[in-house]
Amino acid sequence: MEGESAADECYRPLSAEEEGGDGSDAFGIGSDEFGDKVENGKLGVESDAHENFGDSFFDNWEERAVDGIAELGCINFKEIIAKEIMMCHFPDRLVAFLFYSLYANMNSFAVRKNKIRRNVRNEVTQQEFVCFRKGSREMGSVNNGMRRKREPKVETRCGCETEMRVHVHSESGRWITSYFQDVHNHELLDDRLTFMLPGHRKMDAAALEQMNMMLRVGIKMPQIYSSFVHTAGGFQNLPFLKRDMYNQTGKQRRLIGGDATACLKFLESTAQANPGMFVRYLVDKDGCLVHLFWSDNCSQLDYSLFGDVVAFDATYRKNKCMCPLVVFPGVNHHNQTIVFADALVANENEQTYT
């Protein structure tokens, strides 16, 4: 056919002979592939929606329907997220803080711990987590140019009201969200710069061990940081800065000679928070720690239930203090290894083990 394109040929109406002559088609008389009824030029589609959704399913359909992507932007996703967070239950405060930190990292800001409330037994019953820019700088810390010669630091506190409060549920003992507000009065950072906030910078144990190993062979800190950046594929993929590496080396240097004291302080603070924890240690005439034994509440409960068989194992000087670590393990009813107690000893004679 001249003057007609291939598309016109495909979409031209069929003649009576092509339709079948008797008004029937390939799918049967007066029907189509799906058996829809044609009434007044429209499809009379029979649906069972009223059986699944009720008779009022199609009422006010024009008002309730979302008109494509244009009206999708009108949905307040922050309110939906706030409702979901208000329903969260956490086993302790640390899990709640980690959850809120993850949420802040996804939304390009950082959080910090703020206020706590205690009951008459001095137990923490409420914890508040706020945006890192909440509050204002104290007047005593304002540099007026007369006290110090260096330039004043940039002020980050701007009174942001974003916060999240959790409290202990009286019946279940779990931490639940009591208040949540996500309204910032400042511009949020770009996603590529969020990792630079102090609340999101951290060095894991593997990175610390690799840094210490490279320092022991004489590699300088800038070269070590460049190696980490090259391995991660860019500065934005590395969860810490060069300053954090210097801070970690300084912290390790301060712990040399004082790690025993820090360990005892940690165990004593844990014993105060958990009165059932057992901690005993001995020092020599010079004041050096020689024996340390500890067992927490969970380990003692496991021993009362599964203490019929107690194993004994001592790793030979695998730590920095070059002291044997004695472990008293057992097996529970799930055939899993559990620990009843641990000890650090300075020597391995009969009196020590007794």
Side-chain angles (χ1 to χ4, degrees), residues 99-118:
F99 170 79
Y100 195 39
S101 298
L102 178 62
Y103 171 79
N105 192 9
M106 296 171 59
N107 291 272
S108 303
F109 71 98
V111 297
R112 58 181 173 86
K113 300 177 182 179
N114 195 28
K115 297 180 180 179
I116 60 174
R117 287 187 178 181
R118 301 178 182 268

Side-chain angles (χ1 to χ4, degrees), residues 19-30:
E19 290 182 355
D22 55 353
S24 62
D25 54 14
F27 304 106
I29 302 175

